[in-house]
Amino acid sequence: MSRRRILILFGTRPEAIKLFPVIRALQAFPTIEVLTCATAQHRDMLDQVLGIAGIRPDHDLDIMEPGQTLDRLTARLLTGIGGVLDTDPVDRVIVQGDTATAMAGALAAYYRKIPVAHVEAGLRSGNILHPWPEEVNRRMIAPIADLHFAPTEIAAAALRREAITSGIHVTGNSVIDALHQTLAAVEARPALAAGWQDVAPAIDGRRLILVTTHRRENFGGGLEAIADALLRIAADPAVVLLFPVHPNPAVGAVMERMLASQANILRVPPFDYPSFVAALAAASLVLTDSGGVQEEAPALGKPVLVMRETTERPEGVAAGTARLVGTDADRIVAEVRRLLDDQTAYAAMAQAHNPFGDGQAAARIARIVDAGTRLLSRA
Ligand code: UD1
Ligand code: UDP
């Protein structure tokens, strides 16, 4: 029996984190030949994940350029991925999430009438400018895909509202698989989290606030307000802010200008995944505008204040572990102070919840991809 050829596409750090469990699960199927294509929309941050996960892509488009515009990025992704599909034909393409890679990958497959499976389908904020451009990216993938792996019932319902009538499967989010697998690996071998171990002594018994930010809609005034809030929070000597800074030059420039002189704001280069997971496990609370971190923090019972106006991940808010605080500096400072000063408020949020999955998403996705692709090939 000839094996079905499945191409898994990824370009950024979070795609690789959320797809490595899926790749491992698919590789266990004798009926499937797994091919991988890194667009390398991210370079160093992607390679950090690929190295740790032991993934050597079959194709690497090396698309990243410093400060690349969305136009140029999207155009190069579309022609680059199209070229791979023409030279190395496959029976199915799998994309993840809402990046330019995922959107362009789905479109390139559609132009060749290759079926597309979408991992992390159905997330919707309802506002095409928040997050920008991700909300439109994932809406564009929905009518193309024939398999929609919704992490939650809320995400599945959003797809149904868009008249997607078949191929929706609620699987959980594979980020929870990645988190649990990585946490177990770090517990077994703490040296895996060397980046975290290097900074951990500097925490020195103080309360750790883990910070990440990179959303394009926050560039400019939003990032300056966030930096202002961090400075005001850091005025309290009993806290340390650990801030792995996203390499997008628009982020680093603001943070370097505004935070350079504050000793208890530890700005570090992006952590590899084991170090980030170890830092998350050690944190008292998390300040972020990241999608993935919003999913991971509730799983570890870490209160997460989301520096955005909307979220396509309302499950964390409903579970009580996440709170939307926007990008107004006064509001961010007030919400952080409330959690630091009010033990009852802190305890109410610091409850472990897994609204985004049970750590078995990848196995479910692999089983459905196997069955779905065999059916298609007979049709
Ligand atoms: C991208 C995704 C976003 C996702 C985020 C995860 C799009 C349009 N955006 O945003 O949805 O949430 O990744 O982090 O798909 N850079 C480096 N090294 C790296 C990665 C990025 O130097 O390893 C710098 C480069 O200057 C690059 C810039 O960051 O041009 C922006 O990268 P890009 O992939 O366009 O967007 P992100 O803001 O990272
Ligand atoms: N992450 C990481 N190192 C860091 C910061 C984040 O490995 O220094 C991980 C984090 O655990 C999560 C993912 O990167 O799984 C989130 O990526 P990002 O915030 O860049 O993108 P988003 O999820 O917002 O698309």
Side-chain angles (χ1 to χ4, degrees):
M1 185 186 67
S2 70
R3 294 191 299 165
R4 302 292 111 209
R5 306 185 87 229
I6 311 272
L7 180 71
I8 306 187
L9 262 181
F10 40 80
T12 66
R13 167 173 69 190
E15 290 166 88
I17 289 172
K18 291 171 171 181
L19 284 172
F20 82 72
V22 176
I23 293 170
R24 286 180 185 166
L26 281 168
Q27 281 169 338
F29 280 78
T31 44
I32 288 176
E33 181 185 355
V34 178
L35 301 164
T36 52
C37 174
T39 65
Q41 173 183 336
H42 285 174
R43 185 72 274 175
D44 27 327
M45 291 207 295
L46 179 70
D47 292 344
Q48 276 184 331
V49 185
L50 299 184
I52 280 153
I55 296 168
R56 307 225 333 241
D58 298 290
H59 301 274
D60 191 323
L61 299 175
D62 204 19
I63 292 279
M64 198 197 90
E65 284 175 357
Q68 191 162 215
T69 63
L70 289 176
D71 293 356
R72 182 167 164 79
L73 171 65
T74 306
R76 294 175 71 222
L77 285 166
L78 192 58
T79 51
I81 297 165
V84 168
L85 295 175
D86 288 340
T87 54
D88 197 4
V90 294
D91 298 298
R92 170 175 293 289
V93 171
I94 298 181
V95 299
Q96 195 284 334
D98 52 19
T99 65
T101 289
M103 184 272 286
L107 201 54
Y110 169 62
Y111 286 163
R112 289 157 185 80
K113 299 184 183 161
I114 300 170
V116 173
H118 187 200
V119 175
E120 196 180 82
L123 275 61
R124 299 290 184 268
S125 71
N127 181 339
I128 64 165
L129 297 177
H130 292 265
W132 175 81
E134 290 83 1
E135 178 76 2
V136 163
N137 283 346
R138 52 187 171 233
R139 287 197 207 178
M140 284 173 66
I141 298 168
I144 294 175
D146 70 316
L147 291 177
H148 310 262
F149 298 119
T152 66
E153 289 292 349
I154 289 176
L159 289 167
R160 285 186 213 107
R161 278 198 299 279
E162 289 172 17
I164 307 286
T165 52
S166 65
I168 302 173
H169 302 271
V170 177
T171 57
N173 195 312
S174 57
V175 77
I176 304 298
D177 307 32
L179 176 69
H180 288 324
Q181 289 172 29
T182 305
L183 204 53
V186 169
E187 277 163 10
R189 200 152 67 87
L192 262 184
W196 160 248
Q197 287 190 332
D198 285 348
V199 301
I203 309 303
D204 199 19
R206 293 172 289 180
R207 291 185 81 179
L208 176 62
I209 303 178
L210 185 60
V211 182
T212 80
T213 179
H214 72 83
R215 296 251 80 89
R216 282 172 190 256
E217 66 272 18
N218 287 344
F219 286 3
L223 282 183
E224 286 178 2
I226 289 171
D228 180 35
L230 299 182
L231 278 175
R232 287 159 60 187
I233 295 162
D236 177 354
V239 302
V240 180
L241 289 88
L242 177 59
F243 185 178
V245 181
H246 192 286
N248 195 316
V251 180
V254 172
M255 299 308 160
E256 173 62 24
R257 177 163 52 81
M258 292 187 63
L259 304 180
S261 59
Q262 192 66 38
N264 58 342
I265 302 181
L266 306 178
R267 283 177 305 126
V268 295
F271 271 160
D272 63 25
Y273 193 50
S275 288
F276 191 80
V277 166
L280 186 59
S284 284
L285 65 105
V286 184
L287 264 177
T288 193
D289 60 13
S290 159
V293 180
Q294 275 182 73
E295 294 155 345
E296 293 162 337
L300 298 188
K302 303 295 176 178
V304 54
L305 299 176
V306 181
M307 298 185 290
R308 292 177 43 184
E309 308 300 337
T310 59
T311 183
E312 59 291 332
R313 294 163 164 96
E315 297 86 349
V317 177
T321 322
R323 207 175 163 99
L324 282 179
V325 298
T327 53
D328 176 74
D330 291 341
R331 172 112 197 263
I332 296 170
V333 175
E335 295 282 358
V336 169
R337 284 294 358 150
R338 195 174 71 90
L339 289 175
L340 292 174
D341 298 336
D342 179 346
Q343 279 185 16
T344 314
Y346 183 85
M349 281 187 83
Q351 308 283 339
H353 294 286
N354 270 326
F356 298 104
D358 61 359
Q360 302 301 318
R364 290 186 192 101
I365 289 168
R367 275 198 300 274
I368 298 162
V369 165
D370 178 50
T373 310
R374 273 188 285 154
L375 283 175
L376 270 171
S377 67
R378 275 204 297 271

Tab-separated table of all heavy atoms in Angstrom, residues 12-14 41-46 64-68 70 73 98-101 133-134 137 214-216 219 246-249, ligand 1:
chain	number	residue	atom	x	y	z
A	12	THR	N	6.953	30.023	12.171
A	12	THR	CA	7.285	30.816	13.363
A	12	THR	C	7.452	29.911	14.587
A	12	THR	O	7.053	28.752	14.572
A	12	THR	CB	6.166	31.832	13.671
A	12	THR	OG1	4.989	31.107	14.040
A	12	THR	CG2	5.856	32.738	12.478
A	13	ARG	N	7.954	30.512	15.651
A	13	ARG	CA	8.137	29.782	16.918
A	13	ARG	C	6.853	29.075	17.374
A	13	ARG	O	6.887	27.865	17.634
A	13	ARG	CB	8.630	30.765	17.984
A	13	ARG	CG	8.567	30.227	19.405
A	13	ARG	CD	9.223	31.181	20.389
A	13	ARG	NE	8.491	32.409	20.576
A	13	ARG	CZ	8.966	33.472	21.245
A	13	ARG	NH1	10.161	33.435	21.772
A	13	ARG	NH2	8.243	34.559	21.390
A	14	PRO	N	5.721	29.812	17.510
A	14	PRO	CA	4.561	29.099	18.070
A	14	PRO	C	4.045	27.981	17.167
A	14	PRO	O	3.539	26.971	17.678
A	14	PRO	CB	3.512	30.210	18.253
A	14	PRO	CG	3.964	31.335	17.384
A	14	PRO	CD	5.455	31.247	17.347
A	41	GLN	N	9.892	31.890	8.322
A	41	GLN	CA	9.424	33.279	8.512
A	41	GLN	C	10.126	33.860	9.744
A	41	GLN	O	10.467	35.026	9.782
A	41	GLN	CB	7.910	33.237	8.685
A	41	GLN	CG	7.295	34.567	9.048
A	41	GLN	CD	5.802	34.452	9.280
A	41	GLN	OE1	5.129	33.540	8.784
A	41	GLN	NE2	5.255	35.386	10.035
A	42	HIS	N	10.308	33.027	10.777
A	42	HIS	CA	11.238	33.296	11.870
A	42	HIS	C	12.482	32.471	11.590
A	42	HIS	O	12.387	31.376	11.027
A	42	HIS	CB	10.678	32.840	13.219
A	42	HIS	CG	9.612	33.735	13.775
A	42	HIS	ND1	8.920	33.417	14.914
A	42	HIS	CD2	9.131	34.935	13.346
A	42	HIS	CE1	8.044	34.395	15.177
A	42	HIS	NE2	8.144	35.317	14.241
A	43	ARG	N	13.649	32.936	12.035
A	43	ARG	CA	14.840	32.118	11.829
A	43	ARG	C	15.361	31.596	13.177
A	43	ARG	O	15.149	30.446	13.523
A	43	ARG	CB	15.916	32.953	11.098
A	43	ARG	CG	17.171	32.191	10.701
A	43	ARG	CD	16.959	31.228	9.543
A	43	ARG	NE	16.472	29.901	9.931
A	43	ARG	CZ	16.128	28.953	9.079
A	43	ARG	NH1	16.172	29.179	7.789
A	43	ARG	NH2	15.715	27.779	9.495
A	44	ASP	N	15.965	32.485	13.962
A	44	ASP	CA	16.574	31.981	15.210
A	44	ASP	C	15.520	31.392	16.148
A	44	ASP	O	15.730	30.336	16.753
A	44	ASP	CB	17.403	33.062	15.912
A	44	ASP	CG	16.958	34.487	15.623
A	44	ASP	OD1	16.481	34.771	14.496
A	44	ASP	OD2	17.073	35.330	16.512
A	45	MET	N	14.368	32.059	16.251
A	45	MET	CA	13.345	31.555	17.185
A	45	MET	C	12.766	30.223	16.717
A	45	MET	O	12.386	29.384	17.527
A	45	MET	CB	12.216	32.569	17.360
A	45	MET	CG	12.659	33.827	18.101
A	45	MET	SD	11.296	34.609	18.974
A	45	MET	CE	10.247	35.090	17.626
A	46	LEU	N	12.678	30.047	15.404
A	46	LEU	CA	12.186	28.768	14.882
A	46	LEU	C	13.229	27.676	15.111
A	46	LEU	O	12.913	26.575	15.578
A	46	LEU	CB	11.880	28.907	13.384
A	46	LEU	CG	11.382	27.630	12.705
A	46	LEU	CD1	9.979	27.271	13.184
A	46	LEU	CD2	11.391	27.778	11.191
A	64	MET	N	12.922	34.592	6.206
A	64	MET	CA	13.048	35.763	7.098
A	64	MET	C	14.014	36.814	6.570
A	64	MET	O	15.095	36.493	6.073
A	64	MET	CB	13.480	35.361	8.504
A	64	MET	CG	13.168	36.483	9.493
A	64	MET	SD	14.042	36.332	11.052
A	64	MET	CE	15.517	37.258	10.678
A	65	GLU	N	13.572	38.051	6.646
A	65	GLU	CA	14.442	39.208	6.417
A	65	GLU	C	14.149	40.188	7.541
A	65	GLU	O	12.992	40.305	7.944
A	65	GLU	CB	14.102	39.892	5.080
A	65	GLU	CG	14.596	39.173	3.862
A	65	GLU	CD	14.134	39.840	2.558
A	65	GLU	OE1	13.379	40.845	2.632
A	65	GLU	OE2	14.524	39.354	1.505
A	66	PRO	N	15.151	40.903	8.016
A	66	PRO	CA	14.897	41.844	9.117
A	66	PRO	C	13.834	42.873	8.737
A	66	PRO	O	13.886	43.461	7.650
A	66	PRO	CB	16.255	42.528	9.324
A	66	PRO	CG	17.257	41.588	8.743
A	66	PRO	CD	16.565	40.862	7.629
A	67	GLY	N	12.840	43.038	9.621
A	67	GLY	CA	11.828	44.086	9.451
A	67	GLY	C	11.028	43.982	8.167
A	67	GLY	O	10.572	44.997	7.622
A	68	GLN	N	10.798	42.783	7.677
A	68	GLN	CA	10.112	42.560	6.398
A	68	GLN	C	8.650	43.047	6.442
A	68	GLN	O	7.952	42.828	7.422
A	68	GLN	CB	10.151	41.055	6.135
A	68	GLN	CG	9.737	40.610	4.781
A	68	GLN	CD	10.233	39.189	4.490
A	68	GLN	OE1	10.559	38.905	3.377
A	68	GLN	NE2	10.304	38.317	5.454
A	70	LEU	N	4.594	43.082	5.569
A	70	LEU	CA	3.633	41.985	5.408
A	70	LEU	C	3.429	41.650	3.933
A	70	LEU	O	3.257	40.482	3.567
A	70	LEU	CB	2.292	42.358	6.054
A	70	LEU	CG	2.273	42.404	7.588
A	70	LEU	CD1	0.914	42.874	8.084
A	70	LEU	CD2	2.607	41.045	8.186
A	73	LEU	N	6.538	39.649	2.775
A	73	LEU	CA	6.528	38.350	3.456
A	73	LEU	C	5.494	37.427	2.810
A	73	LEU	O	5.786	36.273	2.450
A	73	LEU	CB	6.198	38.575	4.941
A	73	LEU	CG	5.928	37.356	5.805
A	73	LEU	CD1	7.182	36.490	5.918
A	73	LEU	CD2	5.482	37.780	7.224
A	98	ASP	N	-2.513	31.056	12.772
A	98	ASP	CA	-2.988	32.269	12.108
A	98	ASP	C	-1.876	33.149	11.564
A	98	ASP	O	-2.043	34.345	11.387
A	98	ASP	CB	-3.821	33.080	13.117
A	98	ASP	CG	-3.059	33.304	14.414
A	98	ASP	OD1	-1.825	33.165	14.405
A	98	ASP	OD2	-3.708	33.622	15.436
A	99	THR	N	-0.716	32.559	11.334
A	99	THR	CA	0.402	33.373	10.842
A	99	THR	C	0.298	33.555	9.327
A	99	THR	O	-0.514	32.909	8.646
A	99	THR	CB	1.745	32.682	11.127
A	99	THR	OG1	1.763	31.476	10.363
A	99	THR	CG2	1.925	32.375	12.602
A	100	ALA	N	1.186	34.398	8.797
A	100	ALA	CA	1.261	34.562	7.348
A	100	ALA	C	1.616	33.233	6.690
A	100	ALA	O	1.095	32.906	5.610
A	100	ALA	CB	2.302	35.636	7.014
A	101	THR	N	2.475	32.450	7.320
A	101	THR	CA	2.824	31.126	6.775
A	101	THR	C	1.587	30.246	6.651
A	101	THR	O	1.371	29.595	5.612
A	101	THR	CB	3.865	30.429	7.684
A	101	THR	OG1	5.119	31.098	7.549
A	101	THR	CG2	4.034	28.954	7.330
A	133	PRO	N	-2.380	40.967	11.756
A	133	PRO	CA	-3.408	40.544	10.798
A	133	PRO	C	-3.967	39.145	11.071
A	133	PRO	O	-4.579	38.543	10.189
A	133	PRO	CB	-2.620	40.526	9.482
A	133	PRO	CG	-1.246	40.048	9.898
A	133	PRO	CD	-1.014	40.599	11.277
A	134	GLU	N	-3.754	38.599	12.262
A	134	GLU	CA	-4.045	37.176	12.493
A	134	GLU	C	-5.534	36.838	12.360
A	134	GLU	O	-5.888	35.748	11.915
A	134	GLU	CB	-3.530	36.754	13.868
A	134	GLU	CG	-2.013	36.708	13.992
A	134	GLU	CD	-1.376	38.066	14.275
A	134	GLU	OE1	-2.122	39.068	14.392
A	134	GLU	OE2	-0.140	38.134	14.364
A	137	ASN	N	-6.194	36.246	8.814
A	137	ASN	CA	-5.476	35.047	8.355
A	137	ASN	C	-6.267	33.790	8.673
A	137	ASN	O	-6.473	32.918	7.829
A	137	ASN	CB	-4.092	34.953	9.023
A	137	ASN	CG	-3.086	35.912	8.407
A	137	ASN	OD1	-3.326	36.466	7.328
A	137	ASN	ND2	-1.970	36.111	9.089
A	214	HIS	N	4.541	41.247	21.657
A	214	HIS	CA	4.985	41.333	20.266
A	214	HIS	C	3.876	41.698	19.280
A	214	HIS	O	4.137	41.797	18.078
A	214	HIS	CB	5.611	40.007	19.822
A	214	HIS	CG	4.611	38.909	19.629
A	214	HIS	ND1	3.888	38.764	18.472
A	214	HIS	CD2	4.194	37.934	20.446
A	214	HIS	CE1	3.083	37.714	18.588
A	214	HIS	NE2	3.240	37.201	19.792
A	215	ARG	N	2.649	41.924	19.735
A	215	ARG	CA	1.542	42.119	18.783
A	215	ARG	C	1.734	43.371	17.942
A	215	ARG	O	2.011	44.447	18.473
A	215	ARG	CB	0.196	42.232	19.526
A	215	ARG	CG	-0.202	40.981	20.277
A	215	ARG	CD	-1.371	40.276	19.604
A	215	ARG	NE	-0.948	39.493	18.468
A	215	ARG	CZ	-0.555	38.207	18.531
A	215	ARG	NH1	-0.552	37.555	19.658
A	215	ARG	NH2	-0.196	37.586	17.434
A	216	ARG	N	1.518	43.213	16.642
A	216	ARG	CA	1.697	44.351	15.735
A	216	ARG	C	0.734	45.493	16.040
A	216	ARG	O	1.084	46.657	15.856
A	216	ARG	CB	1.504	43.898	14.282
A	216	ARG	CG	2.710	43.175	13.727
A	216	ARG	CD	2.428	42.577	12.363
A	216	ARG	NE	3.521	41.690	11.981
A	216	ARG	CZ	4.465	42.011	11.096
A	216	ARG	NH1	4.441	43.164	10.494
A	216	ARG	NH2	5.428	41.146	10.816
A	219	PHE	N	2.205	48.046	18.310
A	219	PHE	CA	3.427	48.781	17.960
A	219	PHE	C	3.165	50.275	18.105
A	219	PHE	O	2.078	50.765	17.812
A	219	PHE	CB	3.856	48.491	16.513
A	219	PHE	CG	4.469	47.119	16.333
A	219	PHE	CD1	4.548	46.222	17.379
A	219	PHE	CD2	4.958	46.735	15.093
A	219	PHE	CE1	5.106	44.963	17.205
A	219	PHE	CE2	5.515	45.479	14.902
A	219	PHE	CZ	5.579	44.590	15.960
A	246	HIS	N	11.008	39.839	22.254
A	246	HIS	CA	10.798	39.351	20.884
A	246	HIS	C	11.752	40.096	19.944
A	246	HIS	O	11.934	41.302	20.082
A	246	HIS	CB	9.330	39.613	20.503
A	246	HIS	CG	8.885	38.933	19.253
A	246	HIS	ND1	9.274	39.347	18.006
A	246	HIS	CD2	8.065	37.873	19.055
A	246	HIS	CE1	8.713	38.563	17.092
A	246	HIS	NE2	7.977	37.652	17.710
A	247	PRO	N	12.366	39.373	18.970
A	247	PRO	CA	13.389	40.021	18.138
A	247	PRO	C	12.842	40.976	17.078
A	247	PRO	O	13.626	41.600	16.358
A	247	PRO	CB	14.099	38.842	17.463
A	247	PRO	CG	13.118	37.731	17.489
A	247	PRO	CD	12.256	37.936	18.704
A	248	ASN	N	11.527	41.107	16.967
A	248	ASN	CA	11.014	42.106	16.023
A	248	ASN	C	11.605	43.471	16.414
A	248	ASN	O	11.452	43.912	17.549
A	248	ASN	CB	9.475	42.144	16.088
A	248	ASN	CG	8.908	42.882	14.890
A	248	ASN	OD1	9.422	43.937	14.519
A	248	ASN	ND2	7.891	42.326	14.290
A	249	PRO	N	12.305	44.137	15.460
A	249	PRO	CA	12.999	45.379	15.818
A	249	PRO	C	12.059	46.432	16.412
A	249	PRO	O	12.492	47.258	17.231
A	249	PRO	CB	13.578	45.871	14.480
A	249	PRO	CG	13.477	44.725	13.529
A	249	PRO	CD	12.472	43.749	14.044
B	1	UD1	C1	4.796	36.496	13.674
B	1	UD1	C2	3.332	36.280	13.257
B	1	UD1	C3	2.414	36.372	14.465
B	1	UD1	C4	2.889	35.466	15.583
B	1	UD1	C5	4.353	35.745	15.895
B	1	UD1	C6	4.878	34.774	16.919
B	1	UD1	C7	2.587	37.051	11.051
B	1	UD1	C8	2.200	38.199	10.209
B	1	UD1	N1	2.942	37.329	12.311
B	1	UD1	O1	4.925	37.834	14.125
B	1	UD1	O2	1.102	36.008	14.088
B	1	UD1	O3	2.105	35.705	16.723
B	1	UD1	O4	5.140	35.594	14.705
B	1	UD1	O5	6.084	35.219	17.469
B	1	UD1	O6	2.621	35.937	10.600
B	1	UD1	N2	12.754	38.306	13.789
B	1	UD1	C9	14.055	37.922	14.033
B	1	UD1	N3	14.305	36.619	14.367
B	1	UD1	C10	13.323	35.699	14.474
B	1	UD1	C11	12.000	36.097	14.251
B	1	UD1	C12	11.712	37.393	13.906
B	1	UD1	O7	14.965	38.732	13.941
B	1	UD1	O8	13.617	34.534	14.761
B	1	UD1	C13	12.469	39.726	13.434
B	1	UD1	C14	12.796	40.034	11.967
B	1	UD1	O9	13.256	41.348	11.880
B	1	UD1	C15	11.440	39.886	11.282
B	1	UD1	C16	10.554	40.499	12.347
B	1	UD1	O10	11.078	39.992	13.583
B	1	UD1	O11	11.353	40.582	10.041
B	1	UD1	C17	9.101	40.184	12.212
B	1	UD1	O12	8.890	38.797	12.016
B	1	UD1	P1	7.481	38.318	11.395
B	1	UD1	O13	7.479	36.847	11.295
B	1	UD1	O14	7.142	39.115	10.184
B	1	UD1	O15	6.407	38.799	12.465
B	1	UD1	P2	6.301	38.619	14.008
B	1	UD1	O16	6.058	39.980	14.555
B	1	UD1	O17	7.412	37.808	14.534
